[in-house]
Amino acid sequence: MNKSLYAINEQQMELMSAIELMDGELTPEMESHLDITKNELNHKSIAYLEVIKGKDGINSVIDLEIKRLQALKKRNTNIVDRLKYNLLNAVKTFGEYEVGLQKFTTRKSETIEVEFINELPEEFKTIKVTESANKVELKKALKAGVKVDGVTLVEHQNLKIN
């Protein structure tokens, strides 16, 4: 029973073709072969399902670990920001100073803060337009029989395991 699921499917298709050629009549050998193929399919499907469930479980653990690490990163970033803020206040209060080989100073930087973007003259604005398809409305229109060039409704079959 070391056949792949693909090989089992191929064997099943060949067997079905042979049955069709015989106008649906089954020989005892064909019937036995159908039972073997179905048994192999059942075993292989269960093996696949075990792997799927195992990998899904691992992915859930990974997702939890990602969330834990993101929270840890956020906590560390907050600590770093707070320590930098405290050092900046120390430099502002006491002036520049050195500790060993480290020198604590400040530097100037500039940023622009805009309160009311809509009130700016046009030469000081950049307008970004993003277009996307309204897939919900397109689906409704296509189902209602409206033809839209370049748009098709594609039906998929998804695996459902109960």
Side-chain angles (χ1 to χ4, degrees):
M1 287 202 204
N2 289 333
K3 292 180 186 175
S4 69
L5 196 54
Y6 176 79
I8 294 169
N9 286 338
E10 285 295 308
Q11 185 179 0
Q12 183 75 9
M13 296 303 285
E14 289 172 8
L15 193 52
M16 289 301 176
S17 293
I19 292 170
E20 285 178 18
L21 288 174
M22 295 181 61
D23 293 326
E25 288 188 37
L26 283 174
T27 65
E29 182 181 284
M30 286 178 159
E31 196 169 331
S32 171
H33 205 58
L34 272 175
D35 288 340
I36 291 170
T37 303
K38 181 148 177 70
N39 190 28
E40 288 173 336
L41 177 64
N42 290 344
H43 280 76
K44 189 60 76 167
S45 295
I46 293 300
Y48 273 39
L49 184 59
E50 288 173 2
V51 171
I52 289 168
K53 286 182 178 182
K55 294 297 180 185
D56 279 344
I58 290 169
N59 285 342
S60 295
V61 171
I62 290 170
D63 287 341
L64 290 173
E65 184 65 9
I66 288 170
K67 286 180 184 176
R68 186 188 72 80
L69 290 173
Q70 286 173 331
L72 180 61
K73 180 181 177 183
K74 184 177 181 180
R75 192 168 46 242
N76 286 342
T77 300
N78 290 340
I79 291 169
V80 167
D81 290 345
R82 186 69 170 156
L83 293 174
K84 284 181 179 180
Y85 176 79
N86 289 344
L87 281 172
L88 176 61
N89 282 336
V91 172
K92 285 180 180 177
T93 303
F94 299 106
E96 296 180 1
Y97 62 96
E98 290 184 32
V99 177
L101 299 174
Q102 301 299 315
K103 188 173 186 177
F104 296 89
T105 63
T106 59
R107 65 176 170 78
K108 289 187 180 186
S109 65
E110 297 175 333
T111 61
I112 300 292
E113 294 181 10
V114 179
E115 288 185 35
F116 304 106
I117 294 172
N118 293 334
E119 295 177 13
L120 288 174
E122 291 301 316
E123 67 263 19
F124 298 118
K125 288 191 213 179
T126 301
I127 298 174
K128 297 179 183 177
V129 177
T130 304
E131 290 183 317
S132 62
N134 185 340
K135 292 183 177 181
V136 172
E137 291 302 317
L138 281 169
K139 185 176 181 180
K140 286 180 189 175
L142 291 175
K143 284 193 169 207
V146 176
K147 297 209 184 287
V148 181
D149 289 338
V151 179
T152 55
L153 181 62
V154 180
E155 187 174 299
H156 299 279
Q157 285 190 332
N158 300 310
L159 179 63
K160 181 179 176 186
I161 303 171
N162 293 326

Coordinates of all heavy atoms in Angstrom, one line a residue, residues 117-118 120-129:
I117 N -4.9 69.2 5.8 CA -4.4 68.9 4.5 C -5.3 69.5 3.4 O -4.9 70.0 2.4 CB -4.2 67.4 4.3 CG1 -3.1 66.9 5.3 CG2 -3.9 67.0 2.9 CD1 -3.0 65.4 5.3
N118 N -6.6 69.4 3.6 CA -7.6 69.9 2.6 C -7.5 71.4 2.4 O -7.9 71.8 1.3 CB -9.0 69.5 3.0 CG -9.2 68.0 3.0 OD1 -8.5 67.3 2.3 ND2 -10.1 67.5 3.9
L120 N -4.7 73.1 2.2 CA -3.4 73.5 1.5 C -3.6 73.8 0.1 O -4.5 73.3 -0.6 CB -2.4 72.3 1.6 CG -1.8 71.9 2.9 CD1 -1.0 70.6 2.8 CD2 -0.9 73.0 3.4
P121 N -2.8 74.8 -0.5 CA -2.9 75.0 -1.9 C -2.5 73.8 -2.7 O -1.7 73.0 -2.2 CB -1.8 76.2 -2.1 CG -1.6 76.8 -0.7 CD -1.9 75.7 0.3
E122 N -3.0 73.7 -3.9 CA -2.7 72.5 -4.7 C -1.3 72.1 -4.9 O -0.9 71.0 -5.0 CB -3.4 72.6 -6.1 CG -4.9 72.6 -6.0 CD -5.5 71.3 -5.4 OE1 -5.0 70.2 -5.7 OE2 -6.4 71.4 -4.5
E123 N -0.4 73.1 -5.0 CA 1.0 72.9 -5.3 C 1.7 72.2 -4.1 O 2.8 71.7 -4.2 CB 1.8 74.1 -5.7 CG 1.9 75.2 -4.6 CD 0.9 76.3 -4.7 OE1 -0.2 76.1 -5.3 OE2 1.1 77.3 -4.1
F124 N 1.1 72.2 -2.9 CA 1.6 71.5 -1.8 C 0.9 70.2 -1.4 O 1.1 69.7 -0.3 CB 1.6 72.5 -0.6 CG 2.4 73.8 -0.8 CD1 1.7 75.0 -0.8 CD2 3.7 73.7 -1.0 CE1 2.4 76.1 -0.9 CE2 4.5 74.9 -1.1 CZ 3.8 76.1 -1.1
K125 N 0.2 69.7 -2.3 CA -0.5 68.4 -2.1 C -0.1 67.4 -3.1 O 0.2 67.7 -4.3 CB -2.0 68.6 -2.3 CG -2.7 69.4 -1.2 CD -4.2 69.2 -1.4 CE -5.0 70.4 -1.0 NZ -6.4 70.2 -1.2
T126 N -0.1 66.2 -2.7 CA 0.1 65.0 -3.6 C -1.2 64.2 -3.4 O -1.6 63.8 -2.3 CB 1.3 64.2 -3.1 OG1 2.4 65.0 -3.2 CG2 1.4 63.0 -4.1
I127 N -1.9 63.9 -4.5 CA -3.1 63.2 -4.5 C -2.8 61.8 -5.0 O -2.3 61.6 -6.1 CB -4.2 63.9 -5.4 CG1 -4.5 65.2 -4.8 CG2 -5.4 63.0 -5.4 CD1 -5.4 66.1 -5.6
K128 N -3.2 60.8 -4.2 CA -3.0 59.4 -4.5 C -4.3 58.8 -4.7 O -5.2 58.9 -3.8 CB -2.2 58.7 -3.4 CG -0.8 59.2 -3.2 CD -0.1 58.4 -2.1 CE 1.3 59.0 -1.9 NZ 2.0 58.3 -0.8
V129 N -4.5 58.1 -5.8 CA -5.8 57.5 -6.1 C -5.6 56.0 -6.3 O -4.7 55.6 -7.0 CB -6.5 58.1 -7.4 CG1 -7.8 57.3 -7.7 CG2 -6.7 59.5 -7.3

